[in-house]
Amino acid sequence: MGNGDPGSVLLGTNDRAEAVAAIKAMLRIERNDEDGVIGQLADTALGLAEQFLGQVLIARHVQAMLPVLPGWQRLAAAPVQAISQVEGVAADGTAVALPVTGYAIDIDARGDGWVRIIDAGGAAQLRVTSTAGCAEAWAALPAPVRQGVVLLAGYLFSERDTTRPPPAAITALWRPFRGLALAPAVHA
């Protein structure tokens, strides 16, 4: 499980194999002795893509810790596919699932997940478990996003000792998929 924020990526076995194969093809590497390093660089590049884009790319379960506040609170990880559990966490760390009458949840048209507490039952914090992501797997990501990840991972591999910045083509590939917010999101 991630921490609820874009950027904490650990690719699954199949997704990692596909990403590593794409990176190796771009770098024209045929041997397998550096697959572990290339896989880690794929995780890093995908995490940086998520941070740049402000969204989770490959669907995964995430948990978010929220304060117990009145009103709607937005989950950081998006786009949210499902909110599966809302727990109250006591000061001693003990977690108890809140009854469905103790909270309200919503997923808006943009894919933002929202939670509103009705009765926290004395909890000091909330732990919300959700599933977030744009695509179910590496192959389902938009081609420009995948290509940017491949280019960045390849750059990180081949230019390990450089101080030069990554090619601007990477962010040019990602920019059309970047969500920008001019004002904080508010739930109606």
Side-chain angles (χ1 to χ4, degrees), residues 8 13 22 25 28 44 60 62-63 67 75 79 81 83 102 112 129 138 144 157 161 175 180 185:
S8 53
T13 305
R28 296 185 181 113
T44 299
R60 61 182 180 272
V62 293
Q63 287 187 335
L75 300 177
Q81 297 176 0
I83 299 172
D112 289 335
T129 304
W138 169 262
F157 181 83
D161 299 324
R175 196 166 285 114
L180 295 176

Side-chain angles (χ1 to χ4, degrees), residues 83-109:
I83 299 172
S84 55
Q85 189 170 33
V86 178
E87 298 172 291
V89 180
D92 66 1
T94 308
V96 176
L98 294 179
V100 294
T101 57
Y103 61 91
I105 59 174
D106 189 28
I107 301 171
D108 66 21

